[in-house]
Amino acid sequence: MRIAVYSGSFNPLHIGHQAIMEYLTREKDFDWVYLVVSPKNPLKDSISANSGEARYKAAVEAVGRHPGLNVRVDDIELKMAPPHYTIRTLDELKRREPENEFTLVIGADNLSSIRRWRDFPRILSEYGVAVYPRKGFDLDNIREALIEECAQFPASYVLDAAESGPDNICLEDAGHHIYKIHLLDAPIVDISSTEIREGRARGEDMERFLM
């Protein structure tokens, strides 16, 4: 099966997340979306890992209110020792379910900073990413820059270019270097978890934005 791995803190899960998951399962032919609740992003200090279990339970309840979605809330990272690098999560999913094909789902903002991620060439070549748009980010330019850079990485990151279509390959001479970067024409919902938390802190009713 084709699995979209959608990872994040989801603090809280909102209608923007929902729109992306609906798009992935209905428009992009993924069999399932695995919503992976992360205890803590190694690159961010804004959230406590201690809230991971509560956020996981809240996500299960939110997804349960939409039974038509092929979404599984996964606690795999809650069971893993820190640091919670995405490549470790993807590798563990592949070990757990070797029969499935996993693709990481990220936003344009994450693609623009993916060079900071542990083993990012492996993420882009072995698993690939499906990238949804975010305001203020030129996805075509970000993707093109990564494709131009990818040929310099060593042979350990090389895949067979014949396995992928022309829209996501990065070539160097004989065509052996490959990044799988799929740009999604997904809807942009102008709300974030941070804005919801800030609105709640001001005493505003933010329920309409929750999934």
Side-chain angles (χ1 to χ4, degrees):
M1 293 191 298
R2 297 183 66 237
I3 309 297
V5 180
Y6 191 11
S7 177
S9 58
F10 305 117
N11 185 36
L13 201 59
H14 56 66
I15 57 174
H17 300 129
Q18 179 182 346
I20 291 166
M21 290 186 286
E22 289 176 344
Y23 174 85
L24 290 168
T25 55
R26 297 175 184 174
E27 304 292 336
K28 300 307 293 181
D29 296 326
F30 284 103
D31 296 293
W32 284 90
V33 173
Y34 284 7
L35 191 76
V36 177
V37 177
S38 180
K40 187 173 180 62
N41 185 328
L43 298 177
K44 295 181 180 179
D45 295 322
S46 58
I47 194 167
S48 169
N50 295 330
S51 66
E53 189 65 33
R55 286 183 281 113
Y56 168 75
K57 291 179 180 178
V60 170
E61 292 176 0
V63 170
R65 292 192 287 270
H66 302 272
L69 285 178
N70 281 4
V71 175
R72 165 182 171 177
V73 184
D74 202 309
D75 63 351
I76 188 169
E77 286 197 357
L78 299 181
K79 299 174 181 177
M80 296 171 63
H84 296 95
Y85 296 125
T86 299
I87 188 60
R88 292 183 59 206
T89 303
L90 292 169
D91 287 344
E92 186 61 28
L93 284 168
K94 191 63 178 178
R95 281 191 291 269
R96 190 182 76 183
E97 303 170 22
E99 71 281 7
N100 290 333
E101 173 189 341
F102 295 97
T103 300
L104 180 67
V105 178
I106 59 175
D109 52 335
N110 284 323
L111 186 65
S112 71
S113 62
I114 201 166
R115 297 172 186 83
R116 299 174 60 201
W117 293 27
R118 175 65 60 91
D119 288 342
F120 79 90
R122 280 194 57 218
I123 294 174
L124 295 177
S125 60
E126 293 183 23
Y127 296 98
V129 292
V131 191
Y132 56 88
R134 296 290 296 268
K135 286 186 177 180
F137 293 88
D138 189 328
L139 264 179
D140 289 319
N141 285 342
I142 296 169
R143 176 180 177 274
E144 185 62 30
L146 284 163
I147 285 177
E148 289 178 358
E149 294 170 11
C150 76
Q152 66 187 275
F153 290 103
S156 61
Y157 300 123
V158 173
L159 295 181
D160 183 2
E163 295 180 355
S164 193
D167 64 328
N168 60 9
I169 58 177
C170 164
L171 301 177
E172 179 194 20
D173 298 326
H176 295 299
H177 296 262
I178 174 173
Y179 273 176
K180 294 180 283 189
I181 303 174
H182 308 271
L183 305 186
L184 303 176
D185 188 23
I188 299 177
V189 179
D190 194 19
I191 189 64
S192 70
S193 296
T194 299
E195 290 171 324
I196 292 173
R197 294 195 304 273
E198 290 175 347
R200 284 172 165 174
R202 293 190 297 268
E204 299 174 12
D205 182 5
M206 308 299 288
E207 293 300 311
R208 66 189 183 281
F209 296 116
L210 299 183
M211 180 176 172

